[in-house]
Amino acid sequence: MSSIESQSRRSIGAARNPDSHEAILAAAEEIFCEAGYAGFSIEAVARRARAGKPTIYRWWPSKAHLLLDVYTRLKSSRMPDPDTGTLEGDIRSFLTELVRFWSGNTGGVYKSLIAEAQADDKAAEALQAYSIERTQHTAGMFERAKARGEMRADADSLAASDLMSAYAWKLLLTDRLADQADIIDKVTSILVRGLVK
Amino acid sequence: MSSIESQSRRSIGAARNPDSHEAILAAAEEIFCEAGYAGFSIEAVARRARAGKPTIYRWWPSKAHLLLDVYTRLKSSRMPDPDTGTLEGDIRSFLTELVRFWSGNTGGVYKSLIAEAQADDKAAEALQAYSIERTQHTAGMFERAKARGEMRADADSLAASDLMSAYAWKLLLTDRLADQADIIDKVTSILVRGLVK
Amino acid sequence: MSSIESQSRRSIGAARNPDSHEAILAAAEEIFCEAGYAGFSIEAVARRARAGKPTIYRWWPSKAHLLLDVYTRLKSSRMPDPDTGTLEGDIRSFLTELVRFWSGNTGGVYKSLIAEAQADDKAAEALQAYSIERTQHTAGMFERAKARGEMRADADSLAASDLMSAYAWKLLLTDRLADQADIIDKVTSILVRGLVK
Amino acid sequence: MSSIESQSRRSIGAARNPDSHEAILAAAEEIFCEAGYAGFSIEAVARRARAGKPTIYRWWPSKAHLLLDVYTRLKSSRMPDPDTGTLEGDIRSFLTELVRFWSGNTGGVYKSLIAEAQADDKAAEALQAYSIERTQHTAGMFERAKARGEMRADADSLAASDLMSAYAWKLLLTDRLADQADIIDKVTSILVRGLVK
DNA sequence: CGCTAACCGAGACGGTACGTCTTGTCTTGTT
DNA sequence: AACAAGACAAGACGTACCGTCTCGGTTAGCG
């Protein structure tokens, strides 16, 4: 349990109190890890963080924004961005590492974010922005393969990045993150053959 | 508004009343189309269908099961299961038709089902069962390509089916169903090259 | 558990089945004793008696009628009707015995009957009829005292009976049946002095 | 119909809102008078008062507590507490006034309270506390008679008060409040003779 | 140096939906 | 015709959260 929440905090005046901010994020993460998305309510976070509900609503306009912050906060251990020197190695490594990365609580948060985005427009926007940024970033992996002359120039890097991450999403959303080495190999093989010269 | 809900129904005794069953599904569909997942509550469905809540809970153990039934009911217009004679035609046709199929309310229902599955275990089970059945069915498309000698024997049909549908899921979940002809082409191209001999 | 309810009964044709009748009363009594008035529902009785709800509704038009039957059934041990030879002895004995009589489940049933009568008209009628009959019967006790020349001729026997039983009702309804020997003495004393010549 | 419910109320913050409190009591009283105990549900009161159910449950832990408050609120016209100068006058006056006081809706509320107390423990407690307080208060009437030297010193004031009110309870509970002048006279006569020197 | 504005915790508020329970009616198929 | 079984519409139960509001208090920074 974080030390923050056990202390009593007060307003520090007409400015955002960083202690409250931190305590809320910490409480949100704890609750998510303990009770999952089902038990994740603004009410519960406020209770745990010893914060007023309006304080949360003031800084996070929706549950999704809070969730996104929790996700970003969990990403201290970096996202996969492999550079093994071969396309096959990169793809396999990307999928394997992403699956491992999501296997902890992180995956649960991201799943919930996707779920939330299906009902809430603000969440959808936030997710879309984040997802596009990620897809573009990962497309760099394929650009490097093109630069090496390993990948066809007429294959679309963004499309490849999108397709690869789509597969990871589906593994996440259908609870099949565990023991996927063999099926990752098969998918990697299809993708590599589809992209190499 | 359905004609069913305005009529008065009577119990037909100690057996499931198909009128009630139908009225509930119809009401569920209507509410979903009008108010979306956010407005979709058992309470509202019961009200609209002029049914008691326990009647709904008796037959659908969770919101997800009801949602799944609504989805199945919407599938009167058949799911895509193309057989164009070439692998490329099949894949492009599958993705194009699925995107078109999901562009109406059906897509909204399926999205909500996926979202629901992230929070509720029963929903997750129901979706998983359904998803596996669909993936296996669609794998038949690739088996036919193998039989024609068009597709590599060592490429896994299930993995291919899974990867292809994963891409469709991501389009659905990130609200990119509209105007995807070009990107579908690009993805189709990657998949075909990855699978052909 | 009664032996009746464990056997499976069937209709004996176009006539009232006395087994069902008995099983229902037995179940009603058991449920009342186990769970009190709060847990006493037609539903529960039907379940316990392995009877259909309509069967109960056919023979007992309201919960109160069923309750009254249960009460009558419990009265195998006779109601108090003392004849000690003195007015004081009779009054003290009546109150003491009634308190003892009600101290078991019987009191609970009677309380519930009174409670039910406050909400349900049919119950009120049934209770009123029963109560009048009892008051008149108990008035006989005072008539005997008059005949003995012990009680004033101008004191109304019905009023005395009514007042005495009113006190018992209040003890019952305010959960003060236990350890009332001293207060019964005090009330007896007031009543005796109020009635003797 | 009260004017309160048609106005819109606003929260006055983290303190109990007296408008809501009042609106709920008013609605409760109205519903009770219109529909009786049978139609008296927390749900209905909330609807009528335009209050949320949790607001009611926050302040009144059970239906009985709400009922008790409604009863207390109706007591603006004071409870009988006569001081005629003679014991006989006091008793007759007490019973007559109480019967008149209960003849309106007040009696219905009190009856329901007694009924509720037979099924619900919290109601029983609340009623018991109230009833004891009343009995003790009324005992003062008899203490005054003792001080005047009119009543026997060895007659118990509490017992007398209890017995007298018990009779009123029974009249109330058996729907015999109307036209009881003669029987009240008879009972008064018994009580007076039982208590005077 | 006093005023004001934004912050803080707390929590009450009107609502909505939850999932369960009971009510009294109705129908089925069996005896 | 009575029975066991149980589906049905209706609606109350008490709880959990939602998002908004007000309270009383605190502090920073402007005037």
Side-chain angles (χ1 to χ4, degrees):
Chain A
M1 188 171 286
S2 133
S3 63
I4 288 159
E5 66 189 83
S6 52
Q7 299 167 13
S8 110
R9 293 182 316 276
R10 283 247 168 268
S11 167
I12 57 168
R16 184 169 188 169
N17 185 339
D19 282 355
S20 288
H21 185 248
E22 175 55 25
I24 287 165
L25 281 178
E29 186 183 326
E30 285 171 28
I31 285 176
F32 199 96
C33 297
E34 290 171 18
Y37 184 46
F40 185 82
S41 68
I42 299 287
E43 195 98 18
V45 173
R47 219 161 23 227
R48 171 79 67 111
R50 304 194 56 77
K53 279 199 289 175
T55 304
I56 299 183
Y57 282 109
R58 190 166 10 246
W59 303 113
W60 292 274
S62 82
K63 204 149 91 168
H65 287 79
L66 181 51
L67 225 37
L68 196 55
D69 262 19
V70 170
Y71 184 66
T72 321
R73 202 161 164 276
L74 279 170
K75 287 197 316 187
S76 52
S77 52
R78 295 294 302 137
M79 298 286 294
D81 187 20
D83 194 357
T84 63
T86 67
L87 184 57
E88 179 167 4
D90 281 3
I91 294 177
R92 179 178 293 109
S93 173
F94 179 89
L95 289 174
T96 308
E97 284 181 36
L98 188 53
V99 160
R100 177 157 41 230
F101 177 60
W102 276 344
S103 288
N105 295 310
T106 330
V109 177
Y110 201 60
K111 274 169 64 171
S112 305
L113 207 44
I114 295 175
E116 189 76 15
Q118 307 315 310
D120 181 56
D121 281 347
K122 287 190 286 185
E125 271 177 57
L127 177 64
Q128 190 139 30
Y130 177 80
S131 162
I132 287 174
E133 186 272 325
R134 290 311 311 160
T135 303
Q136 283 172 341
H137 183 262
T138 305
M141 201 176 87
F142 295 97
E143 289 297 316
R144 287 194 297 271
K146 278 189 189 176
R148 282 194 305 266
E150 196 183 354
M151 177 167 153
R152 287 186 291 122
D154 63 332
D156 193 288
S157 290
L158 271 177
S161 171
D162 207 16
L163 178 58
M164 184 178 67
S165 76
Y167 185 68
W169 277 40
K170 201 181 175 195
L171 288 183
L172 174 66
L173 293 171
T174 52
D175 269 323
R176 291 181 295 154
L177 292 179
D179 304 319
Q180 291 302 312
D182 56 336
I183 196 167
I184 284 181
D185 277 349
K186 289 172 186 163
V187 167
T188 302
S189 143
I190 296 173
L191 288 172
V192 170
R193 289 216 182 204
L195 298 168
V196 294
K197 275 187 177 162
Chain B
M1 189 170 285
S2 136
S3 63
I4 286 160
E5 67 188 83
S6 52
Q7 297 168 13
S8 96
R9 297 182 314 277
R10 327 199 42 148
S11 168
I12 57 167
R16 185 168 188 170
N17 185 341
D19 281 356
S20 290
H21 184 245
E22 175 55 25
I24 288 166
L25 282 178
E29 186 183 326
E30 286 170 27
I31 285 177
F32 198 96
C33 298
E34 290 170 18
Y37 182 47
F40 184 83
S41 69
I42 299 285
E43 195 101 18
V45 173
R47 219 159 26 224
R48 172 78 67 108
R50 303 193 58 76
K53 276 198 290 177
T55 303
I56 299 183
Y57 281 108
R58 195 176 356 258
W59 301 114
W60 292 276
S62 80
K63 206 148 91 167
H65 286 82
L66 181 51
L67 224 38
L68 195 55
D69 261 21
V70 170
Y71 183 67
T72 321
R73 199 162 164 275
L74 279 169
K75 289 196 314 186
S76 52
S77 52
R78 293 295 302 138
M79 296 287 294
D81 187 20
D83 195 356
T84 62
T86 67
L87 184 57
E88 179 168 6
D90 280 3
I91 293 176
R92 180 177 293 109
S93 173
F94 179 89
L95 288 174
T96 310
E97 285 181 36
L98 188 52
V99 161
R100 178 159 39 233
F101 177 59
W102 276 345
S103 289
N105 295 309
T106 330
V109 177
Y110 202 60
K111 273 169 63 171
S112 305
L113 207 44
I114 294 174
E116 186 78 13
Q118 307 317 309
D120 181 56
D121 281 347
K122 285 191 287 185
E125 271 178 56
L127 176 64
Q128 190 140 29
Y130 177 77
S131 162
I132 287 174
E133 185 272 326
R134 290 310 313 160
T135 303
Q136 284 172 340
H137 182 261
T138 305
M141 201 176 86
F142 296 98
E143 289 297 316
R144 288 195 296 273
K146 279 188 189 176
R148 282 195 305 269
E150 196 183 355
M151 177 168 153
R152 286 186 292 122
D154 63 333
D156 192 286
S157 290
L158 271 177
S161 170
D162 206 16
L163 179 58
M164 183 178 66
S165 76
Y167 186 68
W169 276 41
K170 201 181 175 195
L171 289 182
L172 173 66
L173 293 171
T174 53
D175 269 322
R176 292 183 294 155
L177 292 180
D179 306 319
Q180 292 301 312
D182 55 337
I183 198 169
I184 284 180
D185 277 351
K186 289 172 186 164
V187 167
T188 302
S189 145
I190 296 172
L191 287 171
V192 170
R193 290 218 183 201
L195 297 168
V196 294
K197 276 185 176 164
Chain C
M1 188 172 284
S2 132
S3 64
I4 288 160
E5 66 188 85
S6 53
Q7 299 167 12
S8 112
R9 294 184 314 279
R10 284 253 168 265
S11 168
I12 56 169
R16 182 169 189 173
N17 184 338
D19 281 356
S20 288
H21 185 248
E22 175 55 24
I24 288 165
L25 281 177
E29 185 182 327
E30 285 171 27
I31 285 177
F32 199 95
C33 298
E34 291 170 16
Y37 183 47
F40 185 82
S41 69
I42 299 287
E43 194 95 18
V45 173
R47 224 170 10 236
R48 171 78 67 109
R50 305 193 55 77
K53 278 198 293 175
T55 305
I56 298 182
Y57 281 108
R58 194 169 3 252
W59 302 113
W60 292 274
S62 82
K63 206 149 90 168
H65 285 80
L66 181 52
L67 224 38
L68 196 54
D69 262 20
V70 170
Y71 184 67
T72 321
R73 201 161 164 277
L74 280 170
K75 288 198 314 187
S76 52
S77 52
R78 293 296 302 139
M79 298 285 294
D81 186 21
D83 194 357
T84 62
T86 67
L87 183 57
E88 180 168 4
D90 280 2
I91 292 177
R92 179 177 293 109
S93 172
F94 178 89
L95 289 174
T96 309
E97 285 181 35
L98 188 52
V99 160
R100 180 161 35 235
F101 177 59
W102 276 344
S103 289
N105 296 309
T106 331
V109 178
Y110 201 61
K111 274 169 64 170
S112 305
L113 206 45
I114 295 173
E116 189 77 14
Q118 306 316 309
D120 182 58
D121 281 347
K122 286 190 286 186
E125 272 178 55
L127 176 65
Q128 190 141 30
Y130 177 78
S131 161
I132 288 173
E133 185 272 325
R134 290 309 311 160
T135 303
Q136 284 173 340
H137 183 261
T138 304
M141 201 175 86
F142 296 96
E143 288 297 317
R144 288 196 296 274
K146 278 189 189 176
R148 281 196 305 270
E150 196 183 355
M151 176 167 153
R152 287 185 291 123
D154 62 333
D156 192 287
S157 289
L158 270 177
S161 170
D162 207 15
L163 179 57
M164 183 179 66
S165 77
Y167 186 69
W169 276 40
K170 201 181 175 196
L171 289 183
L172 174 67
L173 293 171
T174 52
D175 269 322
R176 291 182 295 156
L177 291 180
D179 305 320
Q180 292 301 311
D182 55 337
I183 197 169
I184 284 180
D185 276 351
K186 289 171 185 163
V187 167
T188 302
S189 144
I190 296 172
L191 288 171
V192 170
R193 290 219 182 201
L195 298 169
V196 293
K197 274 185 177 163
Chain D
M1 186 170 287
S2 133
S3 63
I4 286 158
E5 67 187 84
S6 51
Q7 298 169 11
S8 96
R9 296 183 314 278
R10 325 198 47 146
S11 169
I12 58 166
R16 186 168 187 172
N17 184 340
D19 281 357
S20 290
H21 184 247
E22 175 55 25
I24 288 165
L25 283 178
E29 184 183 327
E30 286 170 27
I31 284 177
F32 197 95
C33 297
E34 290 170 18
Y37 183 47
F40 185 82
S41 67
I42 299 285
E43 196 102 16
V45 172
R47 225 166 13 233
R48 172 77 69 108
R50 305 193 58 74
K53 275 199 291 177
T55 302
I56 299 183
Y57 282 109
R58 194 171 0 253
W59 302 114
W60 293 274
S62 82
K63 208 148 89 165
H65 287 81
L66 181 51
L67 224 37
L68 194 55
D69 262 20
V70 170
Y71 182 66
T72 320
R73 200 163 163 277
L74 281 169
K75 290 197 314 187
S76 54
S77 52
R78 294 294 302 138
M79 296 287 296
D81 186 21
D83 194 357
T84 62
T86 68
L87 185 58
E88 177 167 8
D90 280 2
I91 294 177
R92 178 178 294 110
S93 173
F94 179 90
L95 288 174
T96 308
E97 284 181 36
L98 188 53
V99 160
R100 178 160 38 234
F101 176 59
W102 276 345
S103 289
N105 294 309
T106 330
V109 177
Y110 202 60
K111 275 169 62 169
S112 304
L113 207 45
I114 295 174
E116 187 77 13
Q118 308 315 310
D120 181 55
D121 281 347
K122 285 190 288 184
E125 269 178 58
L127 177 64
Q128 190 139 29
Y130 178 78
S131 162
I132 287 172
E133 186 272 326
R134 290 311 309 161
T135 303
Q136 284 173 340
H137 183 261
T138 305
M141 201 176 87
F142 296 98
E143 289 296 316
R144 287 194 297 272
K146 279 189 188 175
R148 283 194 304 269
E150 194 183 356
M151 178 167 153
R152 286 187 290 122
D154 63 329
D156 193 287
S157 289
L158 272 177
S161 171
D162 206 17
L163 177 58
M164 182 178 67
S165 77
Y167 185 70
W169 277 40
K170 201 181 175 195
L171 288 183
L172 174 67
L173 293 171
T174 52
D175 269 322
R176 292 183 293 154
L177 292 180
D179 304 320
Q180 292 301 311
D182 55 337
I183 196 168
I184 284 180
D185 276 352
K186 290 172 186 163
V187 167
T188 302
S189 144
I190 295 173
L191 287 172
V192 170
R193 290 217 183 203
L195 297 168
V196 294
K197 277 187 177 162

